[in-house]
Amino acid sequence: MNFEDLIAKVKTCGKQKLAVAAAEDDAVLEAVDAAHKQGIADAILVGDEAAIRKIAGELNIDLSDYEIINEPDKVKASLTAVKLAHDGVANMYMKGLLDTKTFLKSVLDKEVGLRTGHTLSHVAVFEVKGIEQLLFLTDVAFMTYPTLEDKVHIIENTVAVAHACGVACPKVAPLAAVEVVNPKMNAEGKITGCVVDGPLSMDIAIDPEAAHHKGAQDRPAAGHADILLFPDIQAGNLVYKTLVHTADCKNGCILTGTKVPAILTSRSDSFQTKVNSIALAAVVAAGLAEEKTKAPSVRELAVRSTD
């Protein structure tokens, strides 16, 4: 499984629709246009129309296939764009030339935002040379110091992403510096659709040879973990940046637990990371649409009862 597989997968579902807040950003426009040309997503561009057209001209981007909503004010642009996702006009939401605080405020807006009652968390998906499976890293950018209950919700969010990507029963490795089995990890079967095995050290989680040498080869996730659950944002962010800057890898990231996947990329992220993030969001959006045709889960019913 790799990002080419994800792009091929989303193409079988048809183009998704992306709403971009403050779209007057050259790197974001370039990635959005690449996603459009690859058949991943169409986009509605919300922001300063004059600036959007100027940048598009400099990048030789044909805007005739795009809807543009002129809103030069960045706060208003974020609320306009997120409302498109809230109302179902778009099924993905992306940050453009906008600070993260304003973007997140729009996501959490009580009237037009993307709240669902679920805990929000961040998922970074990596294709790493030498590792056969995709790695789902969480949480490396949003949840700072998650409690045990928070980690249950983070796992649920990430399992949904893994399922959408075609991983039927992901192996979840809560990471730590030691490998002493924690009987509380999934002991009550609260988390379905996955196998939770932890804590595990990083080497045992992803390296079958290390698992064998340490006598952990019989652990369910040893050597072949799909989801890496970090103890806190410090550990997660360090691993994330180490992979990005030293490994032969590709990655994409989304915010989950929202009504639709939200793409929260940084200006320092590469062009390919932005395209991969759109592709990842598109696969998840298609998966969410498919889930809506099925019977609601117990958790969904509980959330609805509190609305």
Side-chain angles (χ1 to χ4, degrees):
M1 174 69 73
N2 54 40
F3 275 100
E4 287 187 8
D5 295 330
L6 292 186
I7 292 172
K9 183 177 177 65
V10 76
K11 285 181 179 179
T12 67
C13 306
K15 278 187 180 179
Q16 306 301 302
K17 182 60 70 74
L18 175 65
V20 185
E24 59 273 18
D25 180 289
D26 52 354
V28 168
L29 275 179
E30 193 173 17
V32 167
D33 193 55
H36 171 70
K37 289 176 178 175
Q38 291 180 45
I40 298 170
D42 290 322
I44 302 173
L45 308 176
V46 183
D48 186 329
E49 182 171 1
I52 290 170
R53 292 193 179 281
K54 180 176 183 296
I55 292 168
E58 294 169 351
L59 296 175
N60 294 316
I61 294 174
D62 181 2
L63 292 176
S64 60
D65 289 335
Y66 296 92
E67 178 182 352
I68 301 175
I69 298 176
N70 184 39
E71 180 47 80
D73 183 274
K74 295 192 186 306
V75 173
K76 291 180 180 178
S78 68
L79 293 174
T80 299
V82 80
K83 188 175 187 297
L84 294 170
H86 177 275
D87 293 346
V89 178
N91 57 3
M92 300 182 289
Y93 178 45
M94 185 173 188
K95 172 180 169 292
L97 190 62
L98 194 68
D99 63 88
T100 298
K101 182 179 179 181
T102 300
F103 181 78
L104 291 176
K105 282 183 70 174
S106 69
V107 169
L108 297 172
D109 187 89
K110 292 182 179 179
E111 294 183 5
V112 299
L114 304 177
R115 291 172 178 259
T116 62
H118 294 189
T119 299
L120 271 61
S121 60
H122 184 271
V123 180
V125 181
F126 276 83
E127 173 192 331
V128 182
K129 185 176 182 179
I131 298 178
E132 62 182 22
Q133 74 274 22
L134 288 174
L135 295 178
F136 298 77
L137 279 60
T138 191
D139 185 320
V140 306
F142 187 78
M143 183 76 71
T144 52
Y145 297 102
T147 64
L148 183 61
E149 189 62 27
D150 289 333
K151 289 178 182 178
V152 170
H153 296 314
I154 290 171
I155 291 172
E156 289 174 334
N157 288 346
T158 311
V159 166
V161 174
H163 284 173
C165 292
V167 185
C169 186
K171 299 179 180 69
V172 183
L175 297 174
V178 296
E179 299 88 42
V180 179
V181 176
N182 183 347
K184 291 184 179 180
M185 292 292 180
N186 210 27
E188 299 177 19
K190 288 183 178 179
I191 310 171
T192 59
C194 65
V195 174
V196 181
D197 175 29
L200 292 177
S201 60
M202 175 67 90
D203 56 343
I204 289 180
I206 64 173
D207 186 346
E209 187 173 343
H212 177 76
H213 284 317
K214 290 188 175 182
Q217 66 270 20
D218 294 330
R219 296 282 293 272
H224 302 283
D226 302 291
I227 296 174
L228 304 179
L229 175 68
F230 292 95
D232 56 44
I233 198 171
Q234 309 289 352
N237 198 264
L238 286 169
V239 171
Y240 173 88
K241 288 181 178 175
T242 299
L243 284 173
V244 168
H245 292 285
T246 66
D248 185 351
C249 66
K250 298 177 182 178
N251 73 293
C253 313
I254 59 171
L255 188 65
T256 63
T258 47
K259 187 174 182 179
V260 305
I263 305 167
L264 179 59
T265 56
S266 166
R267 283 192 65 82
S268 64
D269 285 330
S270 70
F271 161 77
Q272 193 58 55
T273 293
K274 289 180 171 67
V275 176
N276 290 343
S277 297
I278 296 171
L280 176 62
V283 169
V284 173
L288 288 172
E290 184 178 345
E291 284 296 319
K292 286 180 181 179
T293 65
K294 301 178 182 178
S297 67
V298 172
R299 184 178 175 188
E300 288 170 332
L301 290 172
V303 169
R304 291 177 192 176
S305 69
T306 61
D307 287 343

